[in-house]
Amino acid sequence: MRLQPRLIPNPADGWCFDANSKMKLGSFVSMPYHGNSLMTLRNISRLLVVFYCSFPRTALAEKTYTLGMIAKSQGNQFFEAAHSGANDAARELGAKHGIKIKIDWRTPNEEDAQKQAEYVEQLVLNGADGIIISCSDANKLNEAINKAVQQGIPVVTFSGDAPASQRMLSLGIDDFKCGEQTFEELAKLLNDKGVVAAIDGNPNAANLQKRAAGFRAAAKKHPGIKLLDVFYHKETPPDAVAKIEQVMQANPDVTGWGFLGGWPLFTDHALKWSPGSVKCVSVDALPPELGYVRSGHVQMLLSQDVYGYGYHAVERLIEKLHLKKNPSQADENSALTPVTKDNLDAFAKNWEKWLPK
């Protein structure tokens, strides 16, 4: 049974003590004695301290932050890994700071920037504290992002930026250098001669535009290699595979491919050429893509830190919201990790952590 505190005021230091526990419990205002004024203040102080001591600690609600997370499309392991990273960060940072962090996942079934904008608006109306988004089309999202920021809601983008918006931070890679690196690795495999082509998904995505620009810029440094073109397509495996087959039928002399995103490798039997006859370097290293390295159809994958995108996005938002700490820079880029047959098995173990159980 809990004992009610017996309060003893100490005018010497202005604090009240509980005679039962010998602990300081609260302060009272000490004044010179004028009739019953000191006693009245003491009684008021006692009442306040009793109220404080009797108030259930469970009623002091745990601080909760709700972070909306909007990816480009459902069912894509790239975004599933980012979601997993966000959930792990919410759990670990919540325990570290004594707070509760909720991830409100809202993602269209297929790429739909207008739907993403609607999700941003919904999150604002529902009182989200922060928003994480991978933008399918920055032009369609700038206004929604800016309205969220103007409501005091910080926004972090990942692998799909809206650089003209008021977002707080962009997480990703240097997409121009990514395009350059893809071509340079392909040039090495081709011994600086041949005909190459590339695929690049959604032409409206700012990050993919930069990758295409980097790929083209690198091609100019290798006169022995002819760049056929960079081909765009809807970001689904069937559309990517169809585009590759269309190009190969029209241009059977293609000897190298640069995949500026791994879309065609998310399905089985996507590449019809015999292993090694056409050299291939692809961005990303999701589980289905690893099989193409094993088979020899793809010589190198360039992996992004997909799990880290989700983890670090939550980390930066909690630093801003809870610790009142602003990011040191507006763009936070991570390096690409080359994956070949030499390190394939070791790299594959990452996915045991990155994908939700």
Side-chain angles (χ1 to χ4, degrees):
M1 180 176 177
R2 182 178 179 182
L3 294 173
Q4 290 296 325
R6 286 197 304 115
L7 302 178
I8 302 175
N10 181 5
D13 63 4
W15 282 87
C16 289
F17 288 83
D18 177 8
N20 294 322
S21 66
K22 309 300 183 184
M23 292 177 62
K24 279 186 177 182
L25 296 179
S27 64
F28 69 95
V29 180
S30 178
M31 293 179 63
Y33 179 77
H34 293 291
N36 292 325
S37 60
L38 181 57
M39 293 304 296
T40 301
L41 286 168
R42 287 178 176 176
N43 288 336
I44 292 173
S45 297
R46 290 177 183 180
L47 288 172
L48 290 173
V49 175
V50 169
F51 176 78
Y52 173 81
C53 295
S54 304
F55 200 80
R57 291 187 181 274
T58 54
L60 299 174
E62 184 180 40
K63 178 64 177 175
T64 299
Y65 295 98
T66 298
L67 307 180
M69 188 169 189
I70 306 169
K72 290 182 180 179
S73 60
Q74 297 276 10
N76 185 328
Q77 289 177 317
F78 183 104
F79 297 114
E80 289 179 357
H83 189 195
S84 180
N87 285 331
D88 285 352
R91 183 180 63 256
E92 293 171 13
L93 296 175
K96 177 180 178 180
H97 297 297
I99 57 178
K100 186 172 184 180
I101 305 169
K102 296 180 180 178
I103 304 299
D104 188 348
W105 175 257
R106 302 193 182 210
T107 294
N109 290 328
E110 295 183 352
E111 279 212 60
D112 187 336
Q114 187 56 47
K115 195 72 175 176
Q116 287 185 308
E118 292 172 8
Y119 287 149
V120 172
E121 293 170 358
Q122 291 172 12
L123 288 165
V124 172
L125 290 174
N126 291 342
D129 297 291
I131 295 174
I132 304 163
I133 183 168
S134 180
C135 302
S136 289
D137 185 340
N139 292 327
K140 294 181 180 179
L141 285 159
N142 284 332
E143 183 178 357
I145 291 173
N146 290 345
K147 286 182 178 179
V149 174
Q150 289 159 14
Q151 293 290 321
I153 302 171
V155 176
V156 172
T157 64
F158 74 99
S159 189
D161 191 18
S165 74
Q166 298 172 20
R167 51 85 170 147
M168 178 182 78
L169 175 68
S170 172
L171 297 174
I173 56 176
D174 185 321
D175 287 292
F176 187 88
K177 289 183 178 179
C178 171
E180 284 186 316
Q181 185 174 351
T182 303
F183 191 95
E184 292 293 346
E185 297 293 354
L186 191 56
K188 293 176 187 176
L189 293 168
L190 292 170
N191 296 316
D192 259 342
K193 58 185 178 182
V195 179
V196 306
I199 55 169
D200 196 29
N202 182 354
N204 296 316
N207 62 325
L208 297 181
Q209 291 172 353
K210 293 177 183 177
R211 291 183 198 177
F215 194 86
R216 293 181 188 277
K220 294 178 180 178
K221 302 174 185 177
H222 297 270
I225 298 177
K226 176 185 176 182
L227 173 58
L228 193 62
D229 206 349
V230 176
F231 298 92
Y232 295 93
H233 57 84
K234 188 177 180 181
E235 291 186 17
T236 67
D239 286 284
V241 171
K243 179 59 69 175
I244 292 170
E245 291 179 351
Q246 177 188 2
V247 173
M248 291 297 288
Q249 288 173 5
N251 303 275
D253 58 338
V254 170
T255 56
W257 273 97
F259 298 162
L260 299 176
W263 309 281
L265 307 182
F266 299 160
T267 187
D268 294 333
H269 310 298
L271 307 182
K272 305 305 182 185
W273 54 77
S274 59
S277 62
V278 176
K279 305 301 182 183
C280 184
V281 175
S282 177
V283 177
D284 297 330
L286 277 62
E289 297 176 78
L290 304 182
Y292 285 95
V293 176
R294 290 192 178 95
S295 69
H297 287 88
V298 174
Q299 283 64 48
M300 179 180 289
L301 302 172
L302 298 172
S303 176
Q304 301 183 61
D305 183 13
V306 289
Y307 175 90
Y309 288 157
Y311 195 100
H312 296 310
V314 172
E315 195 171 37
R316 298 296 172 264
L317 284 173
I318 293 303
E319 287 173 352
K320 171 68 175 177
L321 295 165
H322 191 68
L323 303 179
K324 311 305 179 186
K325 177 183 177 183
N326 291 319
S328 59
Q329 53 192 7
D331 297 276
E332 191 174 309
N333 292 328
S334 53
L336 292 165
T337 300
V339 179
T340 66
K341 282 187 175 181
D342 293 337
N343 64 339
L344 181 64
D345 291 336
F347 179 84
K349 293 179 181 178
N350 289 320
W351 286 101
E352 297 175 8
K353 174 183 179 181
W354 289 352
L355 286 182
K357 304 295 186 291

